[in-house]
Amino acid sequence: MQHIVIFASGTGSNAENIIRYFKNNNTKSVVAVFSNHSDAKVVEKAKNLSVETVVFTKEELSNGVVLSKLQAFQPDLIVLAGFLWMFPTRIIQHFPSKIINIHPALLPKYGGKGMYGNHVHQAVLEQKETETGITIHYVNEQYDEGKIIFQKAVSITDCTTFEDIAQKVHQLEQEYFPKVIDQLL
Ligand code: GAR
């Protein structure tokens, strides 16, 4: 069995979708969801789907506690799905080419610190872009700069609010993120 571990900070719609996608898979499984917020929706969702949850502090992420808890799950792939803290070097070095992130735009545009969730869609709207999309990439020590694995674009010429854009990006995430994870494994 190949083990997937998800890191998420918020709503967890991607986490939930990934857990459901692999639910009846005999060779790949989501074994844990790690979150930095005990009251995040993602924690509740994971529990409802019978997936183990681990809640941790910023200190535990950097001092090795999270690394040792991660090692216990023997992850084949670590998936950041709306996880908003920088990943520490010690974890990145421990799992080379095994940590991926999804970003709700076409990197290298609209990436970097502070560019997450609706901030990204707002910026895309303000720049009057005609398309946006999703990027799935390996995680390195710089925000949103690791090697790109997959991108998918969508036209947003019919979008007038950032919510419209968010909805289109969300649809792409739901459709492609689990499939890319499946293929990577
Ligand atoms: C997703 O849209 C993801 O692409 C984005 O956060 C959202 C989490 O939604 N990630 C980033 O912005 C990373 N910089 P979810 O909690 O409902 O899956």
Side-chain angles (χ1 to χ4, degrees):
M1 185 67 92
Q2 289 186 291
H3 294 172
I4 302 160
V5 172
I6 297 175
F7 277 68
S9 304
T11 313
S13 55
N14 278 286
E16 180 176 14
N17 185 43
I18 295 163
I19 293 168
R20 288 189 189 281
Y21 181 94
F22 290 102
K23 206 69 190 167
N24 296 313
N25 191 303
N26 294 326
T27 57
K28 299 157 192 158
S29 169
V30 177
V31 291
V33 169
F34 280 57
S35 182
N36 51 318
H37 288 305
S38 59
D39 53 357
K41 287 243 166 53
V42 66
V43 174
E44 193 185 313
K45 284 178 175 156
K47 283 182 177 159
N48 287 340
L49 290 160
S50 309
V51 172
E52 249 187 88
T53 57
V54 176
V55 175
F56 59 88
T57 64
K58 202 162 217 165
E59 196 188 349
E60 288 171 329
L61 183 62
S62 55
N63 70 9
V65 168
V66 170
L67 174 59
S68 61
K69 288 188 177 173
L70 248 180
Q71 285 173 306
F73 288 102
Q74 301 188 312
D76 295 285
L77 197 65
I78 297 164
V79 175
L80 313 194
F83 182 67
L84 301 183
W85 288 349
M86 185 72 132
F87 236 53
T89 305
R90 87 159 76 207
I91 299 183
I92 294 170
Q93 287 180 347
H94 205 88
F95 297 102
S97 302
K98 282 190 181 174
I99 311 175
I100 65 170
N101 178 48
I102 190 158
H103 188 77
L106 297 171
L107 291 174
K109 283 180 157 185
Y110 304 104
K113 197 166 163 52
M115 274 294 173
Y116 61 90
N118 287 336
H119 297 288
V120 175
H121 308 311
Q122 186 68 48
V124 167
L125 184 72
E126 280 165 14
Q127 290 304 309
K128 300 186 169 50
E129 296 283 357
T130 56
E131 63 169 25
T132 188
I134 57 170
T135 303
I136 297 166
H137 64 92
Y138 288 107
V139 170
N140 67 11
E141 278 102 332
Q142 268 74 45
Y143 269 115
D144 303 325
E145 286 183 17
K147 184 168 173 272
I148 292 174
I149 300 162
F150 175 87
Q151 288 188 305
K152 187 79 186 176
V154 64
S155 166
I156 50 167
T157 50
D158 57 338
C159 293
T160 54
T161 66
F162 74 82
E163 288 94 340
D164 296 340
I165 297 174
Q167 197 184 344
K168 286 204 174 192
V169 169
H170 186 74
Q171 276 172 9
L172 292 181
E173 292 184 334
Q174 295 283 305
E175 181 173 356
Y176 292 101
F177 202 12
K179 286 182 190 157
V180 171
I181 292 168
D182 207 356
Q183 279 165 17
L184 274 176
L185 287 167

mmCIF file of all heavy atoms in Angstrom, residues 8-16 41-42 45 80-84 101-105 110-112 114-121 133-135 137 143-144 166 169-170 173-174 177, ligand 1:
data_model
loop_
_atom_site.group_PDB
_atom_site.id
_atom_site.type_symbol
_atom_site.label_atom_id
_atom_site.label_comp_id
_atom_site.label_asym_id
_atom_site.label_seq_id
_atom_site.Cartn_x
_atom_site.Cartn_y
_atom_site.Cartn_z
ATOM 1 N N ALA A 8 -3.133 20.500 5.343
ATOM 2 C CA ALA A 8 -4.115 21.513 4.961
ATOM 3 C C ALA A 8 -4.404 22.409 6.154
ATOM 4 O O ALA A 8 -4.324 21.978 7.306
ATOM 5 C CB ALA A 8 -5.400 20.847 4.479
ATOM 6 N N SER A 9 -4.772 23.664 5.842
ATOM 7 C CA SER A 9 -5.016 24.636 6.914
ATOM 8 C C SER A 9 -6.472 25.059 7.047
ATOM 9 O O SER A 9 -6.840 25.671 8.043
ATOM 10 C CB SER A 9 -4.206 25.918 6.660
ATOM 11 O OG SER A 9 -2.849 25.653 6.517
ATOM 12 N N GLY A 10 -7.280 24.819 6.019
ATOM 13 C CA GLY A 10 -8.587 25.483 6.017
ATOM 14 C C GLY A 10 -9.780 24.602 5.748
ATOM 15 O O GLY A 10 -10.030 23.618 6.443
ATOM 16 N N THR A 11 -10.506 24.968 4.704
ATOM 17 C CA THR A 11 -11.782 24.313 4.396
ATOM 18 C C THR A 11 -11.622 22.833 4.062
ATOM 19 O O THR A 11 -12.472 22.017 4.441
ATOM 20 C CB THR A 11 -12.442 25.030 3.189
ATOM 21 O OG1 THR A 11 -12.366 26.427 3.429
ATOM 22 C CG2 THR A 11 -13.868 24.614 3.018
ATOM 23 N N GLY A 12 -10.589 22.535 3.304
ATOM 24 C CA GLY A 12 -10.312 21.132 3.030
ATOM 25 C C GLY A 12 -11.132 20.503 1.921
ATOM 26 O O GLY A 12 -11.313 19.288 1.911
ATOM 27 N N SER A 13 -11.597 21.317 0.973
ATOM 28 C CA SER A 13 -12.365 20.688 -0.109
ATOM 29 C C SER A 13 -11.454 19.817 -0.979
ATOM 30 O O SER A 13 -11.872 18.752 -1.440
ATOM 31 C CB SER A 13 -13.108 21.730 -0.948
ATOM 32 O OG SER A 13 -12.220 22.686 -1.425
ATOM 33 N N ASN A 14 -10.219 20.237 -1.166
ATOM 34 C CA ASN A 14 -9.277 19.383 -1.906
ATOM 35 C C ASN A 14 -8.951 18.119 -1.110
ATOM 36 O O ASN A 14 -8.938 17.023 -1.667
ATOM 37 C CB ASN A 14 -7.984 20.153 -2.212
ATOM 38 C CG ASN A 14 -8.133 21.036 -3.430
ATOM 39 O OD1 ASN A 14 -8.155 20.557 -4.555
ATOM 40 N ND2 ASN A 14 -8.280 22.332 -3.207
ATOM 41 N N ALA A 15 -8.683 18.279 0.158
ATOM 42 C CA ALA A 15 -8.360 17.115 0.994
ATOM 43 C C ALA A 15 -9.501 16.097 0.941
ATOM 44 O O ALA A 15 -9.275 14.899 0.728
ATOM 45 C CB ALA A 15 -8.106 17.561 2.432
ATOM 46 N N GLU A 16 -10.704 16.579 1.096
ATOM 47 C CA GLU A 16 -11.870 15.681 1.084
ATOM 48 C C GLU A 16 -11.983 14.949 -0.256
ATOM 49 O O GLU A 16 -12.198 13.736 -0.312
ATOM 50 C CB GLU A 16 -13.151 16.483 1.346
ATOM 51 C CG GLU A 16 -14.380 15.599 1.335
ATOM 52 C CD GLU A 16 -15.667 16.336 1.694
ATOM 53 O OE1 GLU A 16 -15.680 17.574 1.705
ATOM 54 O OE2 GLU A 16 -16.657 15.631 1.953
ATOM 55 N N LYS A 41 -11.956 23.246 9.225
ATOM 56 C CA LYS A 41 -12.979 22.351 8.644
ATOM 57 C C LYS A 41 -12.346 21.051 8.143
ATOM 58 O O LYS A 41 -12.952 19.991 8.204
ATOM 59 C CB LYS A 41 -13.681 23.062 7.479
ATOM 60 C CG LYS A 41 -14.627 24.160 7.905
ATOM 61 C CD LYS A 41 -16.053 23.803 7.469
ATOM 62 C CE LYS A 41 -17.106 24.647 8.135
ATOM 63 N NZ LYS A 41 -16.914 26.098 8.014
ATOM 64 N N VAL A 42 -11.124 21.158 7.655
ATOM 65 C CA VAL A 42 -10.469 19.973 7.098
ATOM 66 C C VAL A 42 -10.302 18.875 8.148
ATOM 67 O O VAL A 42 -10.393 17.688 7.827
ATOM 68 C CB VAL A 42 -9.112 20.345 6.440
ATOM 69 C CG1 VAL A 42 -8.091 20.822 7.440
ATOM 70 C CG2 VAL A 42 -8.585 19.192 5.622
ATOM 71 N N LYS A 45 -13.628 17.176 8.481
ATOM 72 C CA LYS A 45 -13.899 16.368 7.282
ATOM 73 C C LYS A 45 -13.110 15.066 7.299
ATOM 74 O O LYS A 45 -13.640 14.001 6.982
ATOM 75 C CB LYS A 45 -13.564 17.174 6.017
ATOM 76 C CG LYS A 45 -14.624 18.216 5.695
ATOM 77 C CD LYS A 45 -14.272 19.031 4.476
ATOM 78 C CE LYS A 45 -15.427 19.972 4.131
ATOM 79 N NZ LYS A 45 -15.010 21.145 3.370
ATOM 80 N N LEU A 80 0.403 19.027 -0.133
ATOM 81 C CA LEU A 80 -0.062 20.265 0.491
ATOM 82 C C LEU A 80 -1.295 20.732 -0.278
ATOM 83 O O LEU A 80 -1.226 21.011 -1.477
ATOM 84 C CB LEU A 80 1.020 21.352 0.472
ATOM 85 C CG LEU A 80 2.440 20.955 0.923
ATOM 86 C CD1 LEU A 80 3.271 22.224 1.156
ATOM 87 C CD2 LEU A 80 2.448 20.086 2.156
ATOM 88 N N ALA A 81 -2.421 20.768 0.434
ATOM 89 C CA ALA A 81 -3.693 21.126 -0.216
ATOM 90 C C ALA A 81 -4.300 22.291 0.559
ATOM 91 O O ALA A 81 -5.099 22.103 1.469
ATOM 92 C CB ALA A 81 -4.636 19.923 -0.215
ATOM 93 N N GLY A 82 -3.831 23.499 0.230
ATOM 94 C CA GLY A 82 -4.295 24.657 0.991
ATOM 95 C C GLY A 82 -3.584 24.743 2.331
ATOM 96 O O GLY A 82 -4.191 25.090 3.351
ATOM 97 N N PHE A 83 -2.281 24.418 2.325
ATOM 98 C CA PHE A 83 -1.476 24.551 3.548
ATOM 99 C C PHE A 83 -0.668 25.840 3.437
ATOM 100 O O PHE A 83 0.058 26.044 2.457
ATOM 101 C CB PHE A 83 -0.547 23.345 3.729
ATOM 102 C CG PHE A 83 0.262 23.429 4.988
ATOM 103 C CD1 PHE A 83 -0.363 23.345 6.229
ATOM 104 C CD2 PHE A 83 1.628 23.625 4.949
ATOM 105 C CE1 PHE A 83 0.371 23.453 7.400
ATOM 106 C CE2 PHE A 83 2.376 23.726 6.113
ATOM 107 C CZ PHE A 83 1.742 23.635 7.344
ATOM 108 N N LEU A 84 -0.812 26.715 4.436
ATOM 109 C CA LEU A 84 -0.347 28.084 4.236
ATOM 110 C C LEU A 84 0.978 28.455 4.901
ATOM 111 O O LEU A 84 1.482 29.547 4.717
ATOM 112 C CB LEU A 84 -1.449 29.069 4.666
ATOM 113 C CG LEU A 84 -2.758 28.885 3.893
ATOM 114 C CD1 LEU A 84 -3.780 29.927 4.311
ATOM 115 C CD2 LEU A 84 -2.544 28.935 2.389
ATOM 116 N N ASN A 101 2.615 20.572 -3.975
ATOM 117 C CA ASN A 101 1.667 21.607 -3.559
ATOM 118 C C ASN A 101 0.767 21.948 -4.737
ATOM 119 O O ASN A 101 1.170 21.824 -5.891
ATOM 120 C CB ASN A 101 2.450 22.862 -3.141
ATOM 121 C CG ASN A 101 1.550 24.012 -2.749
ATOM 122 O OD1 ASN A 101 0.605 23.851 -1.963
ATOM 123 N ND2 ASN A 101 1.808 25.183 -3.301
ATOM 124 N N ILE A 102 -0.455 22.388 -4.421
ATOM 125 C CA ILE A 102 -1.302 22.930 -5.482
ATOM 126 C C ILE A 102 -1.418 24.429 -5.271
ATOM 127 O O ILE A 102 -1.595 24.903 -4.143
ATOM 128 C CB ILE A 102 -2.698 22.265 -5.537
ATOM 129 C CG1 ILE A 102 -3.429 22.709 -6.812
ATOM 130 C CG2 ILE A 102 -3.522 22.543 -4.287
ATOM 131 C CD1 ILE A 102 -4.527 21.776 -7.267
ATOM 132 N N HIS A 103 -1.286 25.171 -6.380
ATOM 133 C CA HIS A 103 -1.408 26.628 -6.322
ATOM 134 C C HIS A 103 -2.529 27.048 -7.267
ATOM 135 O O HIS A 103 -2.587 26.586 -8.410
ATOM 136 C CB HIS A 103 -0.090 27.282 -6.723
ATOM 137 C CG HIS A 103 -0.104 28.756 -6.502
ATOM 138 N ND1 HIS A 103 0.050 29.319 -5.257
ATOM 139 C CD2 HIS A 103 -0.339 29.784 -7.349
ATOM 140 C CE1 HIS A 103 -0.057 30.630 -5.357
ATOM 141 N NE2 HIS A 103 -0.299 30.946 -6.610
ATOM 142 N N PRO A 104 -3.410 27.978 -6.814
ATOM 143 C CA PRO A 104 -4.594 28.298 -7.618
ATOM 144 C C PRO A 104 -4.353 29.378 -8.673
ATOM 145 O O PRO A 104 -5.142 30.317 -8.787
ATOM 146 C CB PRO A 104 -5.598 28.758 -6.556
ATOM 147 C CG PRO A 104 -4.751 29.382 -5.499
ATOM 148 C CD PRO A 104 -3.456 28.613 -5.486
ATOM 149 N N ALA A 105 -3.280 29.246 -9.425
ATOM 150 C CA ALA A 105 -2.974 30.169 -10.533
ATOM 151 C C ALA A 105 -1.922 29.514 -11.412
ATOM 152 O O ALA A 105 -1.385 28.447 -11.072
ATOM 153 C CB ALA A 105 -2.462 31.505 -10.001
ATOM 154 N N TYR A 110 1.482 35.185 -10.071
ATOM 155 C CA TYR A 110 0.626 35.184 -8.879
ATOM 156 C C TYR A 110 1.058 34.166 -7.818
ATOM 157 O O TYR A 110 0.222 33.532 -7.196
ATOM 158 C CB TYR A 110 -0.842 34.977 -9.276
ATOM 159 C CG TYR A 110 -1.289 36.009 -10.270
ATOM 160 C CD1 TYR A 110 -1.433 35.683 -11.619
ATOM 161 C CD2 TYR A 110 -1.516 37.324 -9.889
ATOM 162 C CE1 TYR A 110 -1.799 36.639 -12.554
ATOM 163 C CE2 TYR A 110 -1.885 38.285 -10.814
ATOM 164 C CZ TYR A 110 -2.016 37.931 -12.135
ATOM 165 O OH TYR A 110 -2.369 38.883 -13.053
ATOM 166 N N GLY A 111 2.382 34.019 -7.656
ATOM 167 C CA GLY A 111 2.900 33.149 -6.603
ATOM 168 C C GLY A 111 3.621 33.973 -5.547
ATOM 169 O O GLY A 111 3.671 35.195 -5.620
ATOM 170 N N GLY A 112 4.176 33.276 -4.567
ATOM 171 C CA GLY A 112 4.970 33.932 -3.531
ATOM 172 C C GLY A 112 4.200 34.152 -2.244
ATOM 173 O O GLY A 112 3.012 33.844 -2.149
ATOM 174 N N GLY A 114 2.053 35.418 0.703
ATOM 175 C CA GLY A 114 0.821 36.215 0.732
ATOM 176 C C GLY A 114 -0.131 35.890 -0.413
ATOM 177 O O GLY A 114 -1.275 36.323 -0.406
ATOM 178 N N MET A 115 0.358 35.155 -1.398
ATOM 179 C CA MET A 115 -0.493 34.799 -2.536
ATOM 180 C C MET A 115 -1.148 33.439 -2.267
ATOM 181 O O MET A 115 -0.564 32.388 -2.556
ATOM 182 C CB MET A 115 0.344 34.729 -3.828
ATOM 183 C CG MET A 115 0.498 36.055 -4.493
ATOM 184 S SD MET A 115 -1.110 36.656 -5.111
ATOM 185 C CE MET A 115 -0.657 38.287 -5.624
ATOM 186 N N TYR A 116 -2.316 33.494 -1.685
ATOM 187 C CA TYR A 116 -3.045 32.254 -1.443
ATOM 188 C C TYR A 116 -4.545 32.533 -1.538
ATOM 189 O O TYR A 116 -4.996 33.678 -1.365
ATOM 190 C CB TYR A 116 -2.694 31.639 -0.083
ATOM 191 C CG TYR A 116 -3.020 32.534 1.084
ATOM 192 C CD1 TYR A 116 -4.274 32.476 1.700
ATOM 193 C CD2 TYR A 116 -2.088 33.441 1.566
ATOM 194 C CE1 TYR A 116 -4.584 33.316 2.762
ATOM 195 C CE2 TYR A 116 -2.389 34.282 2.622
ATOM 196 C CZ TYR A 116 -3.640 34.215 3.215
ATOM 197 O OH TYR A 116 -3.941 35.037 4.253
ATOM 198 N N GLY A 117 -5.270 31.488 -1.837
ATOM 199 C CA GLY A 117 -6.731 31.551 -1.870
ATOM 200 C C GLY A 117 -7.259 32.737 -2.658
ATOM 201 O O GLY A 117 -6.799 33.026 -3.763
ATOM 202 N N ASN A 118 -8.187 33.460 -2.051
ATOM 203 C CA ASN A 118 -8.859 34.547 -2.760
ATOM 204 C C ASN A 118 -7.957 35.743 -3.071
ATOM 205 O O ASN A 118 -8.263 36.526 -3.974
ATOM 206 C CB ASN A 118 -10.091 35.010 -1.973
ATOM 207 C CG ASN A 118 -11.214 33.990 -2.073
ATOM 208 O OD1 ASN A 118 -11.271 33.210 -3.027
ATOM 209 N ND2 ASN A 118 -12.103 33.982 -1.095
ATOM 210 N N HIS A 119 -6.840 35.878 -2.343
ATOM 211 C CA HIS A 119 -5.883 36.943 -2.683
ATOM 212 C C HIS A 119 -5.385 36.756 -4.123
ATOM 213 O O HIS A 119 -5.179 37.721 -4.856
ATOM 214 C CB HIS A 119 -4.678 36.933 -1.740
ATOM 215 C CG HIS A 119 -5.039 37.211 -0.313
ATOM 216 N ND1 HIS A 119 -5.423 38.453 0.123
ATOM 217 C CD2 HIS A 119 -5.075 36.406 0.769
ATOM 218 C CE1 HIS A 119 -5.681 38.399 1.421
ATOM 219 N NE2 HIS A 119 -5.492 37.170 1.836
ATOM 220 N N VAL A 120 -5.181 35.514 -4.469
ATOM 221 C CA VAL A 120 -4.708 35.197 -5.824
ATOM 222 C C VAL A 120 -5.787 35.574 -6.841
ATOM 223 O O VAL A 120 -5.518 36.266 -7.828
ATOM 224 C CB VAL A 120 -4.385 33.681 -5.940
ATOM 225 C CG1 VAL A 120 -4.004 33.328 -7.378
ATOM 226 C CG2 VAL A 120 -3.295 33.288 -4.968
ATOM 227 N N HIS A 121 -7.018 35.158 -6.596
ATOM 228 C CA HIS A 121 -8.099 35.404 -7.563
ATOM 229 C C HIS A 121 -8.384 36.903 -7.699
ATOM 230 O O HIS A 121 -8.675 37.399 -8.789
ATOM 231 C CB HIS A 121 -9.365 34.643 -7.140
ATOM 232 C CG HIS A 121 -9.103 33.189 -6.894
ATOM 233 N ND1 HIS A 121 -8.410 32.409 -7.794
ATOM 234 C CD2 HIS A 121 -9.402 32.374 -5.849
ATOM 235 C CE1 HIS A 121 -8.300 31.179 -7.304
ATOM 236 N NE2 HIS A 121 -8.893 31.132 -6.128
ATOM 237 N N GLY A 133 -5.716 29.449 -13.818
ATOM 238 C CA GLY A 133 -5.659 27.988 -13.811
ATOM 239 C C GLY A 133 -5.087 27.454 -12.523
ATOM 240 O O GLY A 133 -5.114 28.120 -11.490
ATOM 241 N N ILE A 134 -4.549 26.222 -12.618
ATOM 242 C CA ILE A 134 -3.935 25.599 -11.443
ATOM 243 C C ILE A 134 -2.519 25.140 -11.796
ATOM 244 O O ILE A 134 -2.226 24.833 -12.957
ATOM 245 C CB ILE A 134 -4.746 24.382 -10.925
ATOM 246 C CG1 ILE A 134 -4.926 23.312 -12.009
ATOM 247 C CG2 ILE A 134 -6.081 24.833 -10.367
ATOM 248 C CD1 ILE A 134 -5.497 21.994 -11.495
ATOM 249 N N THR A 135 -1.692 25.109 -10.769
ATOM 250 C CA THR A 135 -0.330 24.579 -10.921
ATOM 251 C C THR A 135 -0.080 23.589 -9.795
ATOM 252 O O THR A 135 -0.311 23.905 -8.628
ATOM 253 C CB THR A 135 0.729 25.705 -10.822
ATOM 254 O OG1 THR A 135 0.442 26.697 -11.806
ATOM 255 C CG2 THR A 135 2.130 25.156 -11.026
ATOM 256 N N HIS A 137 3.048 21.508 -8.202
ATOM 257 C CA HIS A 137 4.516 21.569 -8.294
ATOM 258 C C HIS A 137 5.173 20.933 -7.076
ATOM 259 O O HIS A 137 4.547 20.798 -6.012
ATOM 260 C CB HIS A 137 4.967 23.031 -8.432
ATOM 261 C CG HIS A 137 4.635 23.883 -7.236
ATOM 262 N ND1 HIS A 137 5.506 24.067 -6.194
ATOM 263 C CD2 HIS A 137 3.509 24.570 -6.902
ATOM 264 C CE1 HIS A 137 4.942 24.838 -5.286
ATOM 265 N NE2 HIS A 137 3.732 25.159 -5.679
ATOM 266 N N TYR A 143 8.714 29.785 -1.629
ATOM 267 C CA TYR A 143 7.279 29.721 -1.885
ATOM 268 C C TYR A 143 7.001 29.588 -3.380
ATOM 269 O O TYR A 143 7.444 30.435 -4.182
ATOM 270 C CB TYR A 143 6.595 31.027 -1.426
ATOM 271 C CG TYR A 143 6.098 31.012 -0.006
ATOM 272 C CD1 TYR A 143 6.652 31.855 0.952
ATOM 273 C CD2 TYR A 143 5.050 30.178 0.387
ATOM 274 C CE1 TYR A 143 6.191 31.868 2.256
ATOM 275 C CE2 TYR A 143 4.588 30.182 1.685
ATOM 276 C CZ TYR A 143 5.162 31.026 2.620
ATOM 277 O OH TYR A 143 4.706 31.038 3.901
ATOM 278 N N ASP A 144 6.289 28.546 -3.781
ATOM 279 C CA ASP A 144 5.751 28.417 -5.142
ATOM 280 C C ASP A 144 6.804 28.373 -6.239
ATOM 281 O O ASP A 144 6.520 28.730 -7.384
ATOM 282 C CB ASP A 144 4.768 29.568 -5.439
ATOM 283 C CG ASP A 144 3.638 29.619 -4.426
ATOM 284 O OD1 ASP A 144 3.213 28.546 -3.963
ATOM 285 O OD2 ASP A 144 3.197 30.729 -4.101
ATOM 286 N N ALA A 166 -12.696 32.002 -8.589
ATOM 287 C CA ALA A 166 -12.439 30.955 -7.591
ATOM 288 C C ALA A 166 -13.202 29.677 -7.936
ATOM 289 O O ALA A 166 -12.666 28.565 -7.827
ATOM 290 C CB ALA A 166 -12.845 31.450 -6.203
ATOM 291 N N VAL A 169 -11.495 27.821 -10.811
ATOM 292 C CA VAL A 169 -10.236 27.206 -10.370
ATOM 293 C C VAL A 169 -10.537 25.982 -9.495
ATOM 294 O O VAL A 169 -9.900 24.932 -9.625
ATOM 295 C CB VAL A 169 -9.372 28.234 -9.611
ATOM 296 C CG1 VAL A 169 -8.189 27.563 -8.914
ATOM 297 C CG2 VAL A 169 -8.874 29.309 -10.574
ATOM 298 N N HIS A 170 -11.525 26.149 -8.659
ATOM 299 C CA HIS A 170 -11.938 25.065 -7.775
ATOM 300 C C HIS A 170 -12.344 23.820 -8.581
ATOM 301 O O HIS A 170 -11.981 22.691 -8.249
ATOM 302 C CB HIS A 170 -13.104 25.576 -6.926
ATOM 303 C CG HIS A 170 -13.558 24.630 -5.876
ATOM 304 N ND1 HIS A 170 -12.831 24.418 -4.727
ATOM 305 C CD2 HIS A 170 -14.641 23.823 -5.798
ATOM 306 C CE1 HIS A 170 -13.469 23.523 -3.994
ATOM 307 N NE2 HIS A 170 -14.563 23.142 -4.619
ATOM 308 N N GLU A 173 -9.298 22.104 -9.774
ATOM 309 C CA GLU A 173 -8.631 21.392 -8.672
ATOM 310 C C GLU A 173 -9.316 20.056 -8.386
ATOM 311 O O GLU A 173 -8.655 19.034 -8.225
ATOM 312 C CB GLU A 173 -8.645 22.259 -7.405
ATOM 313 C CG GLU A 173 -7.775 23.499 -7.537
ATOM 314 C CD GLU A 173 -7.695 24.331 -6.268
ATOM 315 O OE1 GLU A 173 -8.625 24.290 -5.441
ATOM 316 O OE2 GLU A 173 -6.699 25.039 -6.113
ATOM 317 N N GLN A 174 -10.639 20.113 -8.350
ATOM 318 C CA GLN A 174 -11.394 18.894 -8.041
ATOM 319 C C GLN A 174 -11.178 17.828 -9.117
ATOM 320 O O GLN A 174 -11.059 16.651 -8.830
ATOM 321 C CB GLN A 174 -12.892 19.213 -7.918
ATOM 322 C CG GLN A 174 -13.241 20.131 -6.763
ATOM 323 C CD GLN A 174 -13.245 19.427 -5.417
ATOM 324 O OE1 GLN A 174 -13.927 18.440 -5.220
ATOM 325 N NE2 GLN A 174 -12.475 19.923 -4.474
ATOM 326 N N PHE A 177 -6.473 17.325 -9.457
ATOM 327 C CA PHE A 177 -5.491 17.081 -8.384
ATOM 328 C C PHE A 177 -5.394 15.587 -8.019
ATOM 329 O O PHE A 177 -4.285 15.027 -8.006
ATOM 330 C CB PHE A 177 -5.812 17.964 -7.176
ATOM 331 C CG PHE A 177 -4.662 18.219 -6.230
ATOM 332 C CD1 PHE A 177 -3.349 17.903 -6.565
ATOM 333 C CD2 PHE A 177 -4.886 18.805 -4.980
ATOM 334 C CE1 PHE A 177 -2.291 18.149 -5.690
ATOM 335 C CE2 PHE A 177 -3.846 19.045 -4.102
ATOM 336 C CZ PHE A 177 -2.556 18.715 -4.450
HETATM 337 C C1 GAR B 1 -7.053 25.872 -2.860
HETATM 338 O O1 GAR B 1 -7.664 26.642 -3.850
HETATM 339 C C2 GAR B 1 -5.548 25.834 -3.079
HETATM 340 O O2 GAR B 1 -5.199 25.881 -4.436
HETATM 341 C C3 GAR B 1 -5.118 27.078 -2.363
HETATM 342 O O3 GAR B 1 -5.901 27.109 -1.201
HETATM 343 C C4 GAR B 1 -7.189 26.555 -1.492
HETATM 344 C C5 GAR B 1 -7.569 25.598 -0.391
HETATM 345 O O4 GAR B 1 -8.905 25.221 -0.532
HETATM 346 N N1 GAR B 1 -3.712 27.058 -2.071
HETATM 347 C C6 GAR B 1 -2.964 28.162 -2.054
HETATM 348 O O5 GAR B 1 -3.414 29.271 -2.258
HETATM 349 C C7 GAR B 1 -1.488 27.923 -1.774
HETATM 350 N N2 GAR B 1 -0.725 29.110 -1.998
HETATM 351 P P1 GAR B 1 -9.478 23.960 0.244
HETATM 352 O O6 GAR B 1 -9.054 24.081 1.710
HETATM 353 O O7 GAR B 1 -10.963 24.061 0.119
HETATM 354 O O8 GAR B 1 -8.904 22.719 -0.394
#
